[in-house]
Amino acid sequence: MEANPPQELYVDKHVAYIKSLDTRKDELEYWLTEHLRINGVYWGLTALDLLGHRGVLPRDKTIEYVKSCQHENGGFGAHPGHDAHILTTVSAVQILAIEDALDKVDKDQIARYVASLQDRETGIFAGDQWGEVDTRFIYGAFNCLSLLDKLDCIDVEKAVQYVLLCKNYDGGFGMLPGAESHAGQIFTCVGTLAIAKKLELIDHELLGEWLCERQLPNGGLNGRPEKLEDVCYSWWVLSSLAMIDKLHYIDRDHAVAFILSCQDPERGGIADRPNDMPDVFHTVFGVAGLSLLGYPGLREVDPKYCMPTDVIKKVVG
């Protein structure tokens, strides 16, 4: 970490950075990330909201863009012309929820698409028509359908039982049964159980110990043992701890200092670690991590959804 890391969050710089992202069409990076475009809109919109700048992006254009990514089967692609996928469909629904525009789409049609991806024998979800399976996709289905009030379209119990099969002896979860515990996958599994109101099925103490061990001496968090710290784990680890009421297990001040040290003080945005290039992915998860840690001036984030708490209260209840 820097010898004298910044002690403040450069809110105005970050807002300007996010607003600039769709104007950089002369840069190769813009075109190489087209497959993440709708996810990027969700990341930027959420970061702006948590920073207290809701309404900065043009609402009507944002809604029209999201709708332009929808397929006849109800799913959404990353950009017009891209195949529908559950992860991009989740981002689309999250954007519409934040913009208070879920009435602009056919909720039943979207729900049917998501439900069609579940294997009713095992409970697992595929990401798209090609059949890749992963616990990320279960979480995506639960996130999306709960925002649409359509969880009754799927076999919730079968999905919960599959998630529990992915639990390891160390208390963590992997992407499939028997796979290594990883903080990102832990978030998806704990998030699924939280949305299903089944958190009592896991060992909070054991999982909390594994998660708090992700904090390194520099204050940052990694995703699994012997790996480098990365700002995005400020979300995956801290949100999981928050959902099981163990957020106090980590050193808050040290974690805050690490996230702040990853800011770009000139251009705005947050990077994976100090002195690296910022991007919108790490910006939203850095800001969301700070929100979980109670950083002053930020709007409250819901640890299950990575969305503003007031939006979740309005949409989900």
Side-chain angles (χ1 to χ4, degrees), residues 100-207:
D100 193 19
L102 286 172
D103 61 335
K104 305 294 185 183
V105 290
D106 185 335
K107 297 180 184 179
D108 290 324
Q109 183 189 30
I110 300 171
R112 285 194 296 270
Y113 167 73
V114 174
S116 74
L117 297 172
Q118 185 177 33
D119 181 335
R120 294 304 179 110
E121 293 297 317
T122 64
I124 189 67
F125 281 79
D128 56 21
Q129 62 178 316
W130 310 112
E132 179 190 7
V133 294
D134 186 327
T135 48
R136 290 177 301 159
F137 309 148
I138 299 180
Y139 169 75
F142 275 62
N143 181 318
C144 178
L145 294 176
S146 61
L147 292 174
L148 297 172
D149 193 23
K150 299 292 182 182
L151 273 174
D152 57 351
C153 290
I154 61 172
D155 191 328
V156 171
E157 187 57 34
K158 276 279 181 67
V160 166
Q161 290 306 312
Y162 187 89
V163 166
L164 295 176
L165 290 176
C166 298
K167 184 161 62 72
N168 293 319
Y169 71 92
D170 56 13
F173 293 81
M175 63 186 295
L176 296 167
E180 176 186 14
S181 292
H182 186 282
Q185 304 300 146
I186 288 171
F187 166 77
T188 65
C189 292
V190 175
T192 297
L193 296 174
I195 292 170
K197 297 180 171 56
K198 297 287 186 179
L199 283 175
E200 74 279 3
L201 299 177
I202 57 178
D203 186 332
H204 293 202
E205 191 66 35
L206 184 61
L207 177 57

Side-chain angles (χ1 to χ4, degrees), residues 4 217 271:
N4 296 296

Side-chain angles (χ1 to χ4, degrees), residues 1-14:
M1 201 180 335
E2 300 173 44
N4 296 296
Q7 299 301 309
E8 65 174 304
L9 182 65
Y10 303 132
V11 173
D12 292 340
K13 293 280 189 180
H14 300 325

Side-chain angles (χ1 to χ4, degrees), residues 209-262:
E209 290 178 3
W210 190 93
L211 289 167
C212 76
E213 289 174 356
R214 305 281 61 77
Q215 189 166 33
L216 301 179
N218 64 6
L221 297 131
N222 63 19
R224 49 194 169 131
E226 305 303 323
K227 296 294 183 179
L228 292 175
E229 69 286 346
D230 187 318
V231 157
C232 68
Y233 293 111
S234 301
W235 174 255
W236 311 122
V237 173
L238 297 181
S239 59
S240 299
L241 284 168
M243 284 186 276
I244 60 172
D245 298 319
K246 303 294 183 186
L247 194 53
H248 59 286
Y249 276 20
I250 59 103
D251 185 325
R252 176 197 176 278
D253 293 343
H254 218 177
V256 167
F258 175 77
I259 297 171
L260 295 179
S261 75
C262 297

